[in-house]
Amino acid sequence: MRKSHPVRRAVLAGAATVSGIVLLLSLKPASDPGSAQAAGGQLPPAAAGQAPQGGVNGAVTGDAAQTQYGAVQVRLTMNNGKISQAEAVQAPKGGRSDQITASSVPRLNQAVVAAQSADIDAVSGATYTSAGYKKSLQSALDKAKASAGSQQGSGGAQTLTGDVAQTQYGPVQVRVTVAGGKITKAEAVQAPKGGRSDQITSSSVPRLNQAAVAAGTADIDAVSGATYTSAGYKKSLQSALDKAPAGGGSSQAAGSGGGQAATQTLTGSVAQTQYGPVQVRVTVAGGKITKAEAVQAPKGGRSDQITSSSVPRLNQAAVAAGTAQIDAVSGATYTSAGYKQSLQSALDQAGG
């Protein structure tokens, strides 16, 4: 009888071992998200920044995001809680920026509609524009989410983030939680820092937070020794409260005669112009603009005269028209353009 060779036995044993390992691996259940979906398993919860699902309709404009090459601001059109259109109402311009904007913004717009969230890739060669776009986009989604929350009932909690208020010592930005028509929490997501500012911020901000909750409004006292921080805090706080939709409890509801007589005060996003920022606040009652005012406008030198002449006329035009479709004031082209842009932003918050 022929004797088996030791080397041959080793080869056969090795082959059997490899075959067994392959068989075991083929029976191992899938553990990655894609495989789980294919197998009918549940995916992880949706990531933050997803378009709100709550029947939200209308236009929502994000806050302007400042970049190294200019401001970027995104407006979304929502249809039953889904993003049906995205557009940049502000984008870097001039020189090389014109070409980059023309190439990148349409691709970013398309990506938003496809992704239904702010989780989109930056466009190659447009890093700063892409970053600003995503930041403003997230702001718009946050506003839409707040609006969706308010539509589910006045008892639901809303988180509202105010616009950044620039102070002599640094930016201040306030976020509030509103439930049942009351401020239940206030916090500063940005505050002056560095050197002496650290001590002032740590001392004053907690007191301002407590005062906001106690008062339920932005009508709070400044903290002694923190004048600039207090002023910035109150400004951003008012901006946050202005963003609460009608019926949410944090807008200034007035009125007699029920919901149609409710009054909202809405502050638009800051529009940057060649001569300075413009920001508009409107009061809306019964679906009509009853008051319009510029809380920021170009100032200094020749701008003082142009502002004092043009802004009252723009305010009157906004009330008369009831929309942002108003004529520019002759001799105040930049101020008029910024006014209309901020006005539209304010009206978008009301769903108008």
Side-chain angles (χ1 to χ4, degrees):
M1 184 169 64
R2 194 172 172 183
K3 189 174 181 181
S4 298
H5 197 282
V7 174
R8 186 177 181 183
R9 287 201 305 270
V11 170
L12 290 174
T17 301
V18 171
S19 298
I21 292 172
V22 171
L23 180 60
L24 286 171
L25 289 174
S26 67
L27 295 174
K28 184 180 179 181
S31 58
D32 63 283
S35 300
Q37 186 179 25
Q42 291 185 347
L43 290 174
Q50 185 176 353
Q53 300 299 315
V56 179
N57 290 286
V60 184
T61 304
D63 295 334
Q66 299 299 327
T67 77
Q68 185 172 331
Y69 297 100
V72 182
Q73 188 173 30
V74 178
R75 177 182 295 148
L76 302 176
T77 301
M78 311 292 295
N79 187 5
N80 290 325
K82 293 185 177 181
I83 301 171
S84 59
Q85 183 181 357
E87 57 184 322
V89 294
Q90 285 193 74
K93 57 186 176 181
R96 172 72 173 153
S97 293
D98 288 338
Q99 183 180 346
I100 294 174
T101 291
S103 169
S104 62
V105 167
R107 294 164 65 182
L108 291 166
N109 292 339
Q110 292 174 354
V112 173
V113 176
Q116 292 292 304
S117 75
D119 187 16
I120 58 176
D121 293 331
V123 173
S124 178
T127 306
Y128 291 101
T129 297
S130 298
Y133 186 102
K134 291 173 70 175
K135 184 176 181 181
S136 183
L137 168 61
Q138 184 62 61
S139 167
L141 290 173
D142 289 344
K143 293 177 182 180
K145 184 178 179 181
S147 178
S150 72
Q151 291 175 11
Q152 293 174 3
S154 58
Q158 292 177 266
T159 300
L160 305 161
T161 304
D163 296 334
V164 176
Q166 297 295 335
T167 77
Q168 187 172 331
Y169 297 101
V172 181
Q173 188 174 31
V174 178
R175 178 181 294 144
V176 294
T177 301
V178 179
K182 296 181 179 180
I183 300 175
T184 58
K185 182 181 179 183
E187 56 183 325
V189 293
Q190 287 192 68
K193 56 186 178 181
R196 171 74 173 155
S197 293
D198 289 337
Q199 183 179 345
I200 295 174
T201 291
S202 62
S203 170
S204 62
V205 167
R207 294 164 65 183
L208 291 166
N209 292 338
Q210 292 175 353
V213 173
T217 71
D219 187 16
I220 57 178
D221 293 332
V223 173
S224 178
T227 306
Y228 291 100
T229 298
S230 299
Y233 186 102
K234 293 171 66 176
K235 184 176 181 181
S236 183
L237 172 59
Q238 183 61 61
S239 167
L241 296 177
D242 288 344
K243 293 176 182 178
S250 57
S251 54
Q252 296 177 5
S256 52
Q260 291 186 348
T263 300
Q264 288 178 275
T265 301
L266 305 161
T267 304
S269 302
V270 176
Q272 297 296 333
T273 77
Q274 186 172 332
Y275 297 101
V278 180
Q279 188 175 30
V280 178
R281 177 178 295 146
V282 295
T283 302
V284 179
K288 296 181 179 181
I289 300 174
T290 58
K291 182 181 179 183
E293 57 182 324
V295 292
Q296 288 192 68
K299 57 185 176 180
R302 172 74 174 153
S303 293
D304 289 338
Q305 183 179 346
I306 294 174
T307 292
S308 63
S309 170
S310 62
V311 166
R313 295 164 65 183
L314 291 165
N315 292 338
Q316 292 174 354
V319 173
T323 72
Q325 300 303 312
I326 57 177
D327 293 333
V329 173
S330 178
T333 305
Y334 291 101
T335 298
S336 298
Y339 186 102
K340 291 170 67 176
Q341 184 177 312
S342 183
L343 172 59
Q344 183 62 60
S345 167
L347 294 177
D348 286 344
Q349 294 170 32

